Amino acid sequence: MAVNIQYLKGVGPKRASRLRKLNINTVEDLMYFIPRDYDDRSKFKTLRECMIGEKVSLEVEIIGKANILRPRRNLSIIKVPVKDSSHNAYLVWFNQEYLKDKFIVGEKIIVNGKINKVGMEIQIMSPVFEKSGTMDKVGRITPIYSLTEGLTNNEIIKIIDYSIKEYIDQIREFLPQEIINKYDLMDIRGAITNVHFPMNSVLLEKARKRLSFQELLTLQMGLFIIKNRNFTNNKGIRFNKTIEINDFIQKLPFKLTNYSQIKVFKEIEADMENDIQMNRLVQGDVGSGKTIIAVLAMFKAISSGYQAVMMAPTEILASQHFESIRKFFSGYNIRTELLVGSLSPKAKEEILLDLKEGRIDILIGTHAVIQENVEFNRLGLAITDEQHRFGVKQRAILSQKGNNPDVIVMTATPIPRTLALILYGDLDVSIIDELPPGRKEIETYAVGPEMIERINNFIRKQILESRQAYIVCPLIEESETLTVNAAEELYKDFKDNIFKEFKVGLLHGKMKPKEKDLVMEEFKNHKIDILVSTTVIEVGVNVPNSNIMVIYNAERFGLAQLHQLRGRVGRGEHQSYCILINESNNQISRERMRVLQNSTDGFKISEKDLELRGPGEFFGTRQHGLPELKVANLFTDMDILKVAQKEAINIVNQDPNLELEKYRELKKKIQEMFSNLREYSTFN
Ligand code: ADP
Ligand code: MG
């Protein structure tokens, strides 16, 4: 179906180049160019049933000649008297005199237009019309497409209509018949035809359902296959029951939260004690205490004579974990080491050797731990912290360092469960949904840019009381350089003018990892009062003394991300503040800011964001490397997603590499869907 659109009747080079702007290159692309909306002209009413202002379809009879009025120069009004069984009315057009000869008294036509009332007179404004019985423009649901300059909706309709008439027979069904039957799906040709030109709303719904199903099924199956777990339940390690762990828990400096930390650890314990490989996602809001969960699991692994590894996205975060984990294990005969890029070659070499020969129990580190030269003696547990910062591949490499070790991934990005099914489709999910007791609520304010001076005064006051502040500048989508420039500018202004009496630091993504860590270290040790940064500080570093988070252009961030940023403060004994500077007057922006102002529950916040902005934020190809969805809407098509996912599991269970003949076409579709994504180049 790779027919180039340029050779399609009625297209030609000019239109072809415009279509290309809409990402349409082939006839198949055209067929999958799904309308963004529909104008439902299929519901007929009688005049008596109509409401003023309503847009309706009607069947009317012409009962008189067209009158033409010319109330002003440059304005002519044409009025055609009509009636239906219930009432009389006029069809009304402005400046379209040429219509006057189109109507024959006594003829019946169907029209679609907006109802207006002037005095006692009912008018149907600028209606589209056609002969009764034709149902070309009026009596049906009309697609509305996303447009580009130089292409009208009607032109796209014509092109798509033609391509369907001419080429639909070449579209091949790729879903196995048994699946079509099982879920009562429309066939592919019917679905494409009806998603563009539905005969009625029931067929439209069926068409959309079919296309959404196929899209979610291919996506989910591709992910399952890539993630290569195939739900075949890999044989894993059976760890011992560990009674000593209760003693360990007793001695912790705090009491675990019952309903969350204890519950989640029990789930992990059960996984570890059976002989199926654990693949578990631990999801918990910032500050909910995920680290201790990892510590307990490590303790258990070591008690059975295995090694454990934990990978974190930055050096500073890794060292932070290293320090706190060492503290938890002090008094036990457990050796923990830190492996990061900045170690001296000699120190590194020693660690690698001891690790390989089994003299190290726990290795904490950055990407350094998945380098080729890192070998374990008996790796039993692989943990990834802040999973959203790593790709699927890196997680896989880590677990391949052992012989089917149990795997835990931890993330603070609160993804609604339904989406986690896709993003982490191969994982069991544990959720920590309460914070340790005694946390102070962070006071959050959404303000306009006119408040900046007052905010600066507030920051000054807090710093004079020895607190510290984070200032976040937005990521500029188009260019990292612009982002960095903006941060640098604000930094200079702070350093040289506004806050020249204080120590101001700068942190951004273009700095070398070592420079970044240095700045973070200085901030942590209070050698910096105000840290101006891009979103690179998002990930879990603890600076309890900082109590202010100011976010510029907050409207540009996802709510989940804002929430994550806010989580950088509120970690110490001082009252903390988060100030969102919203530079947009847009209604939705304001509503989104209000969500954050009123809630501190990460899951609620991300559900709300999903509702307000759609799933793009979670599924930006940039962030997760997932293919773009054309039909399915992950918010409204949740039910379809669930079914598609169940079926994907079924199929992959039955035929992990899709070798059966009945899946041949489906396999091709999956390959096609993933073919352009670098991240998934391993897929075949
Ligand atoms: P995150 O889930 O963001 O990784 P951490 O594991 O870093 O959170 O925990 C945040 C802080 O809360 C740490 O200082 C940790 O020691 C502390 N903490 C964890 N669990 C509890 C608890 N049950 N009671 C009190 N403090 C806790
Ligand atoms: Mg953490």
Side-chain angles (χ1 to χ4, degrees):
M1 279 307 289
V3 179
N4 190 322
I5 38 156
Q6 185 162 335
Y7 306 113
L8 207 62
K9 198 174 125 195
V11 176
K14 214 183 211 159
R15 277 195 181 145
S17 85
R18 285 171 187 157
L19 286 168
R20 268 181 221 116
K21 278 199 192 127
L22 297 169
N23 244 332
I24 300 171
N25 297 298
T26 66
V27 169
E28 183 157 9
D29 292 341
L30 260 181
M31 294 190 185
Y32 280 101
F33 189 62
I34 307 300
R36 69 170 169 76
D37 204 354
Y38 298 87
D39 183 7
D40 188 350
R41 301 174 184 168
S42 69
K43 290 207 181 65
F44 281 83
K45 287 193 167 180
T46 63
L47 281 164
R48 194 175 292 284
E49 291 164 337
C50 293
M51 316 258 275
I52 295 167
E54 190 182 14
K55 197 161 174 289
V56 290
S57 293
L58 300 142
E59 180 166 41
V60 293
E61 183 185 333
I62 312 288
I63 54 173
K65 273 191 147 38
N67 323 322
I68 294 168
L69 315 172
R70 291 198 181 78
R72 291 199 301 275
R73 234 164 55 97
N74 295 336
L75 177 63
S76 73
I77 303 174
I78 162 167
K79 288 174 71 177
V80 180
V82 297
K83 69 160 194 196
D84 72 1
S85 57
S86 69
H87 217 281
N88 289 2
Y90 287 94
L91 309 180
V92 178
W93 288 272
F94 300 101
N95 291 337
Q96 300 198 45
E97 261 182 61
Y98 67 93
L99 289 173
K100 69 178 193 302
D101 299 322
K102 297 244 171 187
F103 304 101
I104 301 162
V105 178
E107 188 183 45
K108 281 198 169 163
I109 59 172
I110 51 180
V111 298
N112 179 277
K114 215 179 204 172
I115 300 295
N116 190 19
K117 201 170 174 196
V118 180
M120 290 305 289
E121 188 176 300
I122 295 179
Q123 304 181 335
I124 304 166
M125 310 306 292
S126 308
V128 288
F129 61 93
E130 65 198 8
K131 276 208 175 94
S132 286
T134 35
M135 295 257 286
D136 213 10
K137 285 184 277 193
V138 179
R140 55 192 299 167
I141 302 170
T142 306
I144 301 173
Y145 296 96
S146 302
L147 303 175
T148 182
E149 211 175 305
L151 263 182
T152 66
N153 199 51
N154 273 334
E155 283 171 315
I156 297 187
I157 288 180
K158 270 192 198 132
I159 296 168
I160 292 183
D161 184 42
Y162 176 78
S163 70
I164 287 180
K165 284 193 178 114
E166 203 63 18
Y167 293 102
I168 193 73
D169 290 345
Q170 293 187 29
I171 295 272
R172 280 207 290 194
E173 184 56 76
F174 64 89
L175 290 180
Q177 194 56 42
E178 64 191 45
I179 290 180
I180 292 182
N181 296 345
K182 186 165 165 191
Y183 298 103
D184 186 26
L185 299 172
M186 199 176 241
D187 69 285
I188 183 69
R189 292 175 190 166
I192 287 177
T193 310
N194 277 288
V195 85
H196 293 285
F197 307 114
M199 289 311 290
N200 57 50
S201 55
V202 175
L203 290 177
L204 171 59
E205 211 29 59
K206 279 204 92 170
R208 257 195 41 83
K209 178 181 157 198
R210 146 80 206 219
L211 296 174
S212 174
F213 179 91
Q214 80 179 39
E215 193 170 39
L216 293 171
L217 181 77
T218 12
L219 174 66
Q220 191 69 78
M221 288 189 58
L223 292 173
F224 283 164
I225 292 169
I226 288 158
K227 287 173 181 174
N228 204 11
R229 182 176 153 208
N230 303 345
F231 285 75
T232 44
N233 292 337
N234 283 335
K235 210 123 174 79
I237 301 160
R238 184 192 289 275
F239 293 91
N240 301 337
K241 290 209 183 302
T242 12
I243 308 146
E244 316 90 88
I245 204 144
N246 296 325
D247 185 51
F248 183 79
I249 292 174
Q250 283 302 315
K251 286 188 186 147
L252 289 175
F254 45 75
K255 204 164 157 289
L256 295 180
T257 53
N258 251 328
Y259 294 106
S260 292
Q261 286 170 319
I262 291 183
K263 178 195 71 183
V264 169
F265 182 60
K266 286 226 162 93
E267 289 166 351
I268 289 174
E269 215 173 16
D271 281 357
M272 288 179 80
E273 285 172 11
N274 70 29
D275 65 353
I276 297 166
Q277 186 185 19
M278 167 167 72
N279 267 292
R280 189 167 282 280
L281 172 73
V282 175
Q283 231 185 22
D285 221 338
V286 279
S288 62
K290 292 184 290 297
T291 314
I292 191 65
I293 303 282
V295 167
L296 295 175
M298 290 190 214
F299 185 90
K300 192 172 176 66
I302 295 160
S303 303
S304 295
Y306 285 90
Q307 295 170 301
V309 60
M310 180 161 174
M311 176 166 70
T314 63
E315 210 165 307
I316 176 115
L317 202 58
S319 2
Q320 191 177 290
H321 279 319
F322 174 64
E323 278 161 31
S324 63
I325 288 169
R326 263 237 287 227
K327 246 182 246 152
F328 282 123
F329 286 134
S330 68
Y332 291 85
N333 185 18
I334 289 173
R335 182 170 165 204
T336 307
E337 290 293 346
L338 178 69
L339 182 67
V340 291
S342 62
L343 284 187
S344 72
K346 191 163 170 282
K348 210 179 274 176
E349 206 175 302
E350 202 179 307
I351 288 182
L352 291 180
L353 188 68
D354 285 355
L355 189 69
K356 190 173 167 185
E357 296 183 349
R359 286 187 294 273
I360 292 173
D361 302 298
I362 297 175
L363 185 68
I364 315 278
T366 52
H367 289 83
V369 303
I370 51 172
Q371 301 311 307
E372 226 167 280
N373 56 1
V374 179
E375 289 175 62
F376 289 80
N377 185 266
R378 213 170 165 231
L379 180 63
L381 177 67
I383 302 174
T384 311
D385 190 25
E386 308 295 352
Q387 165 65 26
H388 63 290
R389 283 300 175 107
F390 293 103
V392 175
K393 251 189 200 162
Q394 288 160 318
R395 190 202 330 147
I397 296 175
L398 184 62
S399 82
Q400 279 152 19
K401 294 277 179 195
N403 188 9
N404 286 352
D406 277 2
V407 171
I408 297 176
V409 299
M410 306 199 293
T411 180
T413 306
I415 311 155
R417 188 175 171 79
T418 35
L419 293 195
L421 296 183
I422 283 207
L423 285 178
Y424 304 109
D426 59 343
L427 300 174
D428 296 316
V429 180
S430 289
I431 295 178
I432 305 184
D433 49 11
E434 75 188 306
L435 291 181
R439 290 280 160 81
K440 283 209 182 80
E441 192 112 319
I442 301 163
E443 284 180 29
T444 303
Y445 303 95
V447 301
E450 71 282 356
M451 297 286 278
I452 286 178
E453 207 181 311
R454 281 183 63 185
I455 296 167
N456 288 342
N457 288 335
F458 180 71
I459 295 173
R460 182 167 292 113
K461 224 175 97 199
Q462 291 287 324
I463 291 184
L464 288 173
E465 288 177 23
S466 257
R467 300 286 83 73
Q468 291 164 277
Y470 291 101
I471 314 288
V472 177
C473 315
L475 205 68
I476 296 167
E477 284 289 323
E478 302 76 38
S479 137
E480 198 183 350
T481 310
L482 283 181
T483 305
V484 171
N485 288 349
E488 274 171 344
E489 228 165 81
L490 194 66
Y491 164 70
K492 280 203 192 97
D493 195 29
F494 276 12
K495 186 171 68 108
D496 301 337
N497 304 310
I498 301 171
F499 293 120
K500 59 172 178 282
E501 69 271 39
F502 301 131
K503 279 157 289 172
V504 183
L506 173 67
L507 189 70
H508 61 67
K510 277 214 171 158
M511 290 161 62
K512 296 207 181 81
K514 264 193 203 152
E515 295 173 323
K516 277 194 264 189
D517 283 340
L518 190 70
V519 172
M520 244 4 262
E521 202 61 49
E522 284 180 349
F523 189 60
K524 212 174 158 180
N525 299 331
H526 205 162
K527 292 195 183 106
I528 291 173
D529 300 306
I530 300 175
L531 182 61
V532 176
S533 101
T534 56
T535 51
V536 291
I537 53 148
E538 180 191 329
V539 155
V541 181
N542 243 334
V543 186
N545 189 51
S546 63
N547 72 331
I548 305 178
M549 167 66 59
V550 179
I551 302 170
Y552 279 71
N553 285 103
E555 75 280 0
R556 294 202 199 157
F557 294 92
L559 290 189
Q561 201 181 9
L562 288 172
H563 178 64
Q564 187 90 11
L565 285 165
R566 174 167 65 179
R568 297 299 98 224
V569 297
R571 300 187 154 235
E573 63 206 279
H574 313 285
Q575 176 60 50
S576 290
Y577 307 89
C578 173
I579 299 159
L580 307 167
I581 304 178
N582 173 18
E583 310 230 1
S584 155
N585 271 325
N586 172 299
Q587 179 64 35
I588 290 187
S589 289
R590 268 181 290 171
E591 206 175 315
R592 294 174 68 239
M593 295 303 122
R594 222 171 296 132
V595 171
L596 268 154
Q597 209 168 259
N598 299 334
S599 175
T600 52
D601 178 336
F603 286 93
K604 256 195 212 130
I605 288 170
S606 70
E607 293 275 2
K608 194 74 197 165
D609 209 21
L610 187 64
E611 187 185 317
L612 288 173
R613 294 219 307 184
E617 182 186 332
F618 299 97
F619 284 82
T621 33
R622 207 169 45 100
Q623 212 179 343
H624 293 295
L626 288 175
E628 178 200 4
L629 295 174
K630 289 179 178 168
V631 191
N633 174 323
L634 286 167
F635 192 63
T636 51
D637 293 343
M638 211 44 82
D639 293 345
I640 302 177
L641 172 61
K642 283 181 191 154
V643 177
Q645 198 194 31
K646 221 167 101 195
E647 190 55 41
I649 295 173
N650 266 346
I651 297 176
V652 175
N653 258 341
Q654 194 188 95
D655 183 9
N657 295 311
L658 299 189
E659 282 154 352
L660 295 178
E661 178 59 26
K662 63 181 174 182
Y663 297 134
R664 210 177 69 186
E665 295 297 320
L666 178 58
K667 185 172 183 174
K668 267 195 222 156
K669 263 284 182 246
I670 298 171
Q671 283 164 333
E672 222 173 82
M673 185 177 211
F674 284 85
S675 65
N676 297 325
L677 300 171
R678 215 173 358 111
E679 196 154 330
Y680 294 111
S681 54
T682 50
F683 187 74
N684 58 51

